[in-house]
Amino acid sequence: MEMVKDIDLISIQETRDLVEKAYEAQKRFEKFDQEKTNKIVDSLARVLRENAEYLGKLASETTKFGRWEDKKIKNILASEILNDYMKNMKTRGIINFDDNNKIYEVAVPMGVVAGIIPTTNPTSTVIFKTLISLKAGNAIVFSPHPRALECILKTVEIIKNELNKLGVDHNLVGCISNPTMEATSELMKHNKVAIILATGGSAMVKSAYSSGKPALGVGPGNVPAYIDKTANVEKAVADIFCSKTFDNGTICASEQSIIAHSSVLDAVKKECVRQGGYILNEEEKKKVEKILVGPTGAFNPAIVGLDGKTLADMAGIKVPDYTRVLIAPESGVGKKFPFSIEKLTCILAFYEAKNLDEAKYIALQLIRFAGMGHSCAIHANDRDRIIDFASIMPVSRLLVNTPTSQGAVGYSTSLTPSFTLGCGSYGGNATSDNISVMHLFNRKRIAYGVNDISSIKDFSNGSINSTVINNNNMYSDEFINKIIVEVKKALNNQI
């Protein structure tokens, strides 16, 4: 009789084996110095850059999301551009010495990283997390989204083959080949996993934070883009469309809504149409709404990463063949206004703002509804208005006159190249940074004594008495305050 295979048990055992092997490989790898580590990361970045197009096509074929041409660009950003950014970073051994304060900083690898990989950016996220993990001296084990399994496994295979060529234990990088929720849970809670890098839906990120392990996760984006009366309208619309159509809106930092100042409203609408946008009427909005959200009001995953023309065809409305983005005029924010949600596809909500204050109000409502801490954009050429708008936005990235998809990940800006964008305390995240290699090692501090505590005076008689620290007087407020004064004097004298 043939035995029935329990896929959950198989996946849990596979996960345990992967972590154990990664743990042993990392213990040997952590002894490598900076030079040897850099050579390994350089070689991996090179071979992954060479396979950027192949993996981009495979990701598109596997997931049916987005455009392979844009996935290729994301793979390049995650390999070549990221490695160029990290090339001169010290991440092994002594990384800093503060001569004035006599403190050494030593980088110590964390150990085994658990990498949660989404379906929207699968190959680029694997590349990104591998390079920053190994650069910091860690191993990494991936939990792939089942829909993106084929392209993720292929990416890991390329990495392992290169590690073998370099004479490095390929178990430094592992991937679950039987992905289940149970396997992901086992990975995140395994006692030999040191930290979790979680990229995925809100439920997955919350699970990572509740696992009992240190976790670096991200929140959802619901990015508004405000076009001010001082903006270059043609460029603003071009930037927004460039971003929204990049991989057909699958990056969480892509714009979800346009807010246009009344004085440039008509110009913005005209430019949107000229550049391939299609503005829906009320009847067409209702048709698109049927494919936008399901019965519960949640975003329909079946339309992730689709272009404007395909979306229109699905909704049963006629649009020009060159249509890139569907635009829905909207009057409110919240569950009763479906176009105000995050839309990982080529659909934008459209709002009018009579003045800057109203623009700030609408943007705040959108961010608070579904994008706390993530990103926001303004297109303007007045510094005071930019600062006024930016200062009250509860986001970690305020992008000015640039596409948000490319800007937030560090492609069109000087931000750290990253595919894991922290949302800070606004979004319930541990950091507001673009996650990088600098988040993946511990800093051990070696601190020399600079204040001679043994010479603290016994203020009761003015003499030096080191035994005073054993006296109950050391706990009195008067004595503690006198010590503080003495220490401050000593520090001032050193300066």
Side-chain angles (χ1 to χ4, degrees):
M1 180 181 292
E2 184 179 351
M3 294 182 63
V4 176
K5 293 182 178 180
D6 189 321
I7 189 64
D8 295 337
L9 292 178
I10 291 172
S11 65
I12 290 172
Q13 187 57 57
E14 180 191 21
T15 302
R16 290 173 178 170
D17 292 342
L18 287 168
V19 173
E20 290 290 343
K21 291 177 181 178
Y23 181 82
E24 293 302 322
Q26 192 276 329
K27 287 302 176 188
R28 293 184 288 273
F29 181 53
E30 71 178 3
K31 296 180 174 64
F32 289 20
D33 61 16
Q34 188 75 67
E35 183 180 2
K36 195 168 183 179
T37 300
N38 287 351
K39 287 181 179 178
I40 293 168
V41 174
D42 286 345
S43 293
L44 288 174
R46 175 187 52 77
V47 74
L48 290 164
R49 168 63 179 88
E50 291 170 356
N51 283 276
E53 181 171 319
Y54 165 68
L55 292 174
K57 289 179 177 178
L58 185 60
S60 186
E61 292 168 5
T62 303
T63 64
K64 311 302 179 188
F65 290 165
R67 303 175 67 251
W68 73 261
E69 297 91 344
D70 295 335
K71 292 186 185 297
K72 173 185 175 180
I73 293 172
K74 288 194 283 189
N75 291 337
I76 294 172
L77 175 63
S79 55
E80 181 180 8
I81 294 174
L82 173 65
N83 190 46
D84 286 345
Y85 178 85
M86 298 192 300
K87 191 174 289 290
N88 296 319
M89 287 184 175
K90 293 181 179 180
T91 60
R92 308 300 301 273
I94 297 172
I95 58 174
N96 186 45
F97 177 60
D98 183 345
D99 189 50
N100 290 328
N101 294 302
K102 302 294 187 292
I103 296 175
Y104 284 95
E105 284 190 358
V106 183
V108 180
M110 290 185 172
V112 179
V113 178
I116 314 301
I117 305 300
T119 186
T120 47
N121 306 299
T123 56
S124 53
T125 305
V126 168
I127 295 168
F128 163 71
K129 290 185 177 181
T130 296
L131 295 189
I132 64 172
S133 294
L134 268 60
K135 177 79 172 183
N138 303 306
I140 186 164
V141 176
F142 293 113
S143 174
H145 191 288
R147 182 167 177 170
L149 180 61
E150 181 184 354
C151 61
I152 291 172
L153 285 175
K154 191 63 182 180
T155 308
V156 172
E157 180 186 326
I158 291 170
I159 292 167
K160 284 178 168 290
N161 287 341
E162 187 63 19
L163 290 174
N164 284 332
K165 291 178 183 177
L166 295 168
V168 180
D169 190 342
H170 67 263
N171 289 310
L172 277 174
V173 181
C175 183
I176 299 168
S177 63
N178 297 288
T180 63
M181 291 300 294
E182 290 76 12
T184 301
S185 178
E186 179 67 23
L187 176 63
M188 292 194 295
K189 295 178 180 179
H190 197 289
N191 63 356
K192 288 183 178 175
V193 164
I195 188 169
I196 302 167
L197 280 182
T199 308
S202 297
M204 178 60 70
V205 173
K206 288 179 181 178
S207 178
Y209 276 116
S210 63
S211 68
K213 293 294 179 72
L216 294 170
V218 299
N222 194 29
V223 181
Y226 169 52
I227 302 178
D228 186 52
K229 66 180 183 180
T230 66
N232 177 331
V233 171
E234 181 180 353
K235 182 181 183 301
V237 172
D239 283 346
I240 293 169
F241 279 22
C242 173
S243 173
K244 190 60 177 174
T245 60
F246 184 74
D247 207 16
N248 289 342
T250 57
I251 291 183
C252 59
S254 65
E255 294 88 344
Q256 304 299 323
S257 304
I258 294 174
I259 305 167
H261 192 283
S262 291
S263 64
V264 293
L265 183 71
D266 291 339
V268 171
K269 287 182 176 179
K270 183 178 179 180
E271 199 59 41
C272 283
V273 172
R274 190 183 74 81
Q275 295 193 34
Y278 183 85
I279 301 175
L280 303 169
N281 60 35
E282 283 302 312
E283 182 181 350
E284 292 167 333
K285 267 183 66 178
K286 291 177 181 177
K287 290 182 178 181
V288 174
E289 185 179 321
K290 290 179 180 179
I291 67 166
L292 176 66
V293 295
T296 63
F299 178 67
N300 175 16
I303 66 169
V304 170
L306 299 180
D307 63 81
K309 180 65 168 61
T310 300
L311 290 166
D313 291 343
M314 287 179 66
I317 62 175
K318 291 185 177 181
V319 300
D321 289 341
Y322 56 80
T323 298
R324 303 167 66 197
V325 182
L326 301 183
I327 300 172
E330 195 55 274
S331 59
V333 177
K335 292 182 178 179
K336 294 182 180 180
F337 305 92
F339 290 92
S340 67
I341 65 173
E342 181 186 30
K343 305 165 287 295
L344 298 178
T345 196
C346 292
I347 298 174
L348 285 166
F350 191 95
Y351 296 86
E352 177 184 359
K354 295 181 176 61
N355 50 50
L356 181 60
D357 286 339
E358 187 173 12
K360 290 189 289 186
Y361 174 77
I362 296 170
L364 279 170
Q365 292 296 102
L366 288 163
I367 292 167
R368 287 170 177 164
F369 175 49
M372 284 293 287
H374 205 290
S375 306
C376 181
I378 180 171
H379 296 267
N381 287 300
D382 183 301
R383 183 179 179 277
D384 290 340
R385 292 174 72 83
I386 291 170
I387 297 301
D388 186 3
F389 182 84
S391 62
I392 67 165
M393 293 300 145
V395 295
S396 302
R397 284 154 291 274
L398 196 296
L399 301 153
V400 181
N401 298 331
T402 194
T404 59
S405 290
Q406 295 89 338
V409 300
Y411 193 60
S412 65
T413 65
S414 296
L415 294 175
T416 300
S418 179
F419 283 92
T420 303
L421 310 178
C423 297
S425 59
Y426 294 125
N429 294 172
T431 180
S432 58
D433 296 342
N434 281 16
I435 302 301
S436 74
V437 62
M438 305 307 284
H439 296 86
L440 292 183
F441 56 80
N442 295 306
R443 286 175 172 80
K444 180 186 294 183
R445 288 159 176 95
I446 302 172
Y448 284 70
V450 294
N451 299 311
D452 188 2
I453 302 301
S454 65
S455 64
I456 292 176
K457 291 182 179 180
D458 180 350
F459 292 99
S460 62
N461 57 27
S463 63
I464 295 175
N465 183 2
S466 62
T467 62
V468 75
I469 62 173
N470 297 318
N471 189 299
N472 286 335
N473 287 337
M474 70 181 290
Y475 297 111
S476 71
D477 291 341
E478 179 184 4
F479 184 71
I480 290 172
N481 289 333
K482 288 178 178 178
I483 288 179
I484 291 172
V485 170
E486 283 293 300
V487 171
K488 285 182 176 180
K489 286 180 180 178
L491 289 174
N492 288 333
N493 288 336
Q494 285 185 6
I495 294 170

